[in-house]
């Protein structure tokens, strides 16, 4: 069964950094298209960024609000994906979801989601 | 960036009746080389992550009930829920994946 589990959410101060993890099971992260989506309290879904499978080029893209501050990386040996978030602001406060669809269907759509991890940025 | 606008923001439908949600993109989502519309629909219930319902505008995800259907092309799309059930109460989002990703603001479906 394809599963993803996020972790690493915390309360941090503006300007600080945080790294979220997305642990995968039932598939290899190197072979999947994986995305990060966030949802501020009471708000809608917002795409954060994604990474494509290595065989499809491993392209990484980010949404404009986080470009230059957030990065995505993988630890293939541990089958974990990371979202490194720097220079955090209150606007980044949200539940962060990791999601994928495996096997890939050549589209950035996602049928396997974690339960999310809460990031709160506040002084 | 492609902006996605859903209408209405909320709607109340009687059990067994049809619910229709519209989604309009600011740019064409039909990729001419494969004739596919890069548009998906999700359902989200309170306290839960989203659930994929439809992709390629009209392809139903495995396990999704047949009362859910997607239609449209180019910039205008529709999610239809035939014979609304109590368990369909949720917020529904459209998502484009033509360039980057972006979601509509969501449509809340309730029982009248």
């Amino acid at each position: 069964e394809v599963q993803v589990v996020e972790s690493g959410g915390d309360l941090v101060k503006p300007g600080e950094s945080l790294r979220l993890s997305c642990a995968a099971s039932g598939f290899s992260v190197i072979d999947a298209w994986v995305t990060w989506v966030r949802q501020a309290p009471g708000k809608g879904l917002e795409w954060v960024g994604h990474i494509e499978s290595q065989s499809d080029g491993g392209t990484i893209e980010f949404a404009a609000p986080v470009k230059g501050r957030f990065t995505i990386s993988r630890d293939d040996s541990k089958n974990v994906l990371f979202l490194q978030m720097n220079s955090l602001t209150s606007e980044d406060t949200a539940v962060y979801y990791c999601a994928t669809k495996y096997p890939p269907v050549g589209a950035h759509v996602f049928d396997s989601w974690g339960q999310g991890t809460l990031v709160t940025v506040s002084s | 960036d492609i902006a996605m606008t859903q209408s209405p923001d909320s709607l109340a439908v009687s059990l067994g009746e049809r619910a229709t949600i519209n989604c309009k993109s600011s740019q064409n989502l039909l990729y001419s080389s494969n004739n596919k519309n890069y548009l998906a629909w999700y359902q989200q219930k309170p306290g839960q992550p989203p659930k994929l319902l439809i992709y390629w505008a009209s392809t139903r995800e495995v396990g999704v009930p047949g009362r859910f259907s997607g239609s449209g092309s180019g910039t205008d799309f529709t999610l239809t829920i035939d014979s609304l059930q109590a368990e369909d109460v949720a917020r529904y989002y459209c998502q484009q994946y033509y360039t980057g990703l972006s979601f509509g603001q969501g449509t809340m479906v309730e029982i009248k």
Side-chain angles (χ1 to χ4, degrees), chain B residues 1-78:
Chain B
D1 293 359
I2 298 178
M4 307 298 292
T5 304
Q6 293 180 228
S7 61
D9 288 332
S10 65
L11 75 161
V13 177
S14 300
L15 288 172
E17 296 300 305
R18 173 179 293 178
T20 301
I21 301 169
N22 300 302
C23 175
K24 189 174 185 66
S25 63
S26 62
Q27 296 179 34
N28 174 52
L29 302 183
L30 176 61
Y31 194 37
S32 57
S33 66
N34 60 12
N35 201 36
K36 290 184 174 182
N37 286 283
Y38 284 53
L39 189 284
W41 289 96
Y42 294 83
Q43 174 195 67
Q44 187 179 32
K45 298 180 179 179
Q48 296 184 18
K51 174 185 176 183
L52 178 65
L53 298 174
I54 304 280
Y55 59 101
W56 298 130
S58 60
T59 299
R60 194 180 303 115
E61 172 68 357
V62 172
V64 173
R67 62 182 181 274
F68 291 91
S69 63
S71 62
S73 184
T75 61
D76 293 281
F77 301 89
T78 299

Side-chain angles (χ1 to χ4, degrees), chain A residues 8-39:
Chain A
D10 203 350
L11 170 62
V12 296
K13 292 180 169 55
E16 294 186 340
S17 299
L18 196 63
R19 189 178 77 163
L20 304 183
S21 300
C22 172
S25 59
F27 71 102
S28 295
V29 290
I30 196 173
D31 295 328
W33 294 23
V34 182
T35 195
W36 288 93
V37 170
R38 67 186 181 184
Q39 188 165 34

Side-chain angles (χ1 to χ4, degrees), chain A residues 35 37 39 43-47 50 61 63-64 97 101 105-111 113-115, chain B residues 1 38 40 42 44 47-52 54-56 61 93 95 97 100-105:
Chain A
T35 195
V37 170
Q39 188 165 34
K43 302 297 184 183
L45 302 172
E46 180 185 19
W47 171 61
H50 64 231
E61 290 186 82
Y97 293 103
K101 182 168 178 54
V105 294
H108 287 289
V109 297
F110 316 103
D111 64 348
W113 295 68
Q115 287 301 310
Chain B
D1 293 359
Y38 284 53
Y42 294 83
Q44 187 179 32
Q48 296 184 18
K51 174 185 176 183
L52 178 65
I54 304 280
Y55 59 101
W56 298 130
E61 172 68 357
Y93 295 91
Q95 175 222 320
Y97 46 99
L101 275 76
S102 52
F103 292 91
Q105 79 277 18

